[in-house]
Amino acid sequence: SEELGTMDVAAIATLVKLPPQSNNSGDELQKATFEVVQILKGEGLVNAKDKIETLYFGDGTVGKSFLVMGISPPATMWSTPLPLTDRGIKYLTQLVKLPKEGAERLLFFQEYLEDSDEMLARDAYDEFAKAPYAQLKAVKEKLRHEQAVAWIKNPEIPASRRRLYLVILGITGTEQDLPMIEEFMTSSDRKAKSGLDALIACYLTLKGESGLPLVEKLFLANDKADYADTYAAIMAIRFHGSEGGV
């Protein structure tokens, strides 16, 4: 959404002609030709079936769909086309109709967290990551607890995304989730402890003040604790003092 906001024109277009192959490094870079299918932004600045030329370095198939964005019309400078799946096209079409903030927006992106289309999964994560904590708490009843737990348990989930799912668990979880979190906190496996600041913050959200002795024992008073782990504990406590209002 932020990227679209900085552009004058955005459209879904299909590749109609690849640039000719060239073996001479001194040649001017040739452009591929795309045909506009659907306008997402900039009605009147570009029209359906218009042909546009822009640099494209992929080996795409003629007829494949792309997101193409541009600035400074009428001599529009077009961005590098971004390949789209059918799911991506549907996503973009709905995205431009969403309110700028609020529950409806967040719940739309929840459907695409860890999507099989990596572009959509990454974008949905980014939207959640920038949402204020209060906004996440406001949709508590609609957030998916069991799904968050499954992703937290998955060692293949990147640490940044795991942090988000731990924040969601802190909002939706109960004391029944504490044994799992304690197991991760006390593990010697770095992967189990990935996103440790969010892990500790989640633990304290669910356990409350009575969770501090374990945090102190493992990370603050422990001379053998890694500095990074001690710092993660400090960040978790800081989170509760600022965002959590404790």
Side-chain angles (χ1 to χ4, degrees):
S1 293
E2 289 174 353
E3 196 169 348
L4 284 167
T6 64
M7 298 291 171
D8 296 311
V9 187
I12 294 167
T14 54
L15 177 63
V16 293
K17 184 183 175 187
L18 282 163
Q21 294 290 329
S22 172
N23 297 320
N24 188 342
S25 59
D27 286 352
E28 184 181 340
L29 288 170
Q30 299 293 310
K31 295 180 177 180
T33 306
F34 295 81
E35 182 178 294
V36 175
V37 174
Q38 183 180 346
I39 299 155
L40 299 172
K41 183 182 181 182
E43 289 276 358
L45 298 175
V46 67
N47 299 299
K49 299 200 172 180
D50 280 359
K51 300 287 195 301
I52 58 178
E53 291 186 340
T54 186
L55 294 174
Y56 175 61
F57 302 103
D59 54 355
T61 308
V62 169
K64 185 169 174 54
S65 297
F66 292 81
L67 170 64
V68 189
M69 299 182 283
I71 56 171
S72 304
T76 309
M77 294 173 61
W78 296 103
S79 66
T80 303
L82 192 66
L84 294 173
T85 60
D86 289 344
R87 193 164 169 76
I89 293 170
K90 179 185 172 189
Y91 178 87
L92 280 167
T93 304
Q94 293 175 298
L95 178 64
V96 293
K97 298 175 185 173
L98 288 176
K100 293 198 180 299
E101 58 184 43
E104 180 191 343
R105 184 177 181 86
L106 266 185
L107 295 174
F108 169 80
F109 291 111
Q110 181 173 232
E111 299 300 318
Y112 292 92
L113 291 171
E114 299 307 319
D115 195 87
S116 56
D117 184 328
E118 179 56 29
M119 183 187 86
L120 308 191
R122 190 169 59 246
D123 196 54
Y125 163 75
D126 286 343
E127 287 279 348
F128 262 82
K130 74 174 189 175
Y133 185 56
Q135 213 170 88
L136 291 176
K137 287 172 72 177
V139 293
K140 173 181 176 177
E141 302 306 321
K142 299 285 181 68
L143 294 175
R144 294 174 185 157
H145 171 267
E146 294 306 316
Q147 184 64 83
V149 169
W151 286 332
I152 289 164
K153 288 179 175 179
N154 183 349
E156 302 308 313
I157 297 288
S160 57
R161 295 185 189 176
R162 191 182 200 224
R163 284 187 175 92
L164 169 63
Y165 306 140
L166 285 160
V167 171
I168 291 173
L169 181 61
I171 293 168
T172 62
T174 66
E175 288 188 355
Q176 292 180 335
D177 297 302
L178 287 170
M180 173 189 72
I181 301 170
E182 288 176 2
E183 184 180 335
F184 286 137
M185 284 171 58
T186 55
S187 174
S188 57
D189 179 1
R190 296 307 303 179
K191 236 174 182 180
K193 288 201 291 188
S194 74
L196 183 60
D197 51 345
L199 193 64
I200 297 168
C202 176
Y203 175 70
L204 292 175
T205 301
L206 300 178
K207 184 84 170 174
E209 190 175 332
S210 62
L212 281 169
L214 178 61
V215 175
E216 183 172 358
K217 175 186 171 186
L218 291 174
F219 308 114
L220 301 178
N222 181 6
D223 291 339
K224 293 180 181 176
D226 285 353
Y227 172 74
D229 292 355
T230 300
Y231 187 71
I234 292 167
M235 291 300 289
I237 294 167
R238 181 180 291 172
F239 165 80
H240 281 285
S242 54
E243 297 291 330
V246 178

